[in-house]
Amino acid sequence: IGVAPEAKILPISLNMGTPGGKSIDEQIPAAVRYAVDHGAQIINMSIGSNKTSWPQSWDDAFAYAEQKGVLIVAGNRGSGLTQVGAPATIPGVLTVGGVDRNKQISEGSSTQGISIAVVAPSTDMIAAAPGNGYMLWSGSSAAAPLVTGVAALL
């Protein structure tokens, strides 16, 4: 709302860690296709993984988004990884890095690399929290929504 107040948001939740549910590897391509089919022009994926590769099942969904002219924006790193992780490693994804208040790479939450296209603030960001509250949030997943908002303005 603070970056692109006229943008419409289509929230899509991923069910992570529920026993017996679909795996994240199945949910992500389904969510991307759903967003594209329901009019999304930009998809923010404030998620990361601890691996640089991605399941083959993602290829068709991300190519589908690209063919429909939908931009996918993603943070760059999952827990325990020191390099850019999927989905930010997928060709065509706008990969976001994070910087701290001193405009330096945010050591605890972002990596460096040639695949990072743009950086945004990622340290001590204010985010909505369950129960109508707010919390501090850090990481390239916090920077990605800012970049998504700027892309919406463009």
Side-chain angles (χ1 to χ4, degrees), residues 71-99:
L71 173 66
I72 297 178
V73 179
N76 73 63
R77 177 172 109 173
S79 176
L81 197 64
T82 57
Q83 58 189 354
V84 175
T89 52
I90 297 174
V93 172
L94 180 62
T95 305
V96 178
V99 292

Side-chain angles (χ1 to χ4, degrees), residues 15 20 32 47 58-60 72-73 84 89 94-95 97 107 122 129-130 134 136 147 149 152:
N15 185 2
V32 168
I47 59 171
W58 295 12
D59 286 337
D60 288 342
I72 297 178
V73 179
V84 175
T89 52
L94 180 62
T95 305
E107 290 293 331
S122 67
Y134 295 93
L136 290 180
V147 173

Side-chain angles (χ1 to χ4, degrees), residues 39-64:
Q41 296 173 329
I42 304 167
I43 298 173
N44 174 62
M45 299 189 79
S46 285
I47 59 171
S49 71
N50 58 2
K51 46 191 169 170
T52 58
S53 61
W54 59 91
Q56 188 174 358
S57 63
W58 295 12
D59 286 337
D60 288 342
F62 281 72
Y64 179 69

Side-chain angles (χ1 to χ4, degrees), residues 93-127:
V93 172
L94 180 62
T95 305
V96 178
V99 292
D100 63 20
R101 293 176 190 271
N102 296 318
K103 301 178 189 153
Q104 300 298 312
I105 200 73
S106 185
E107 290 293 331
S109 60
S110 186
T111 58
Q112 300 179 41
I114 60 169
S115 61
I116 295 176
V118 65
V119 296
S122 67
T123 304
D124 296 331
M125 304 300 289
I126 297 173

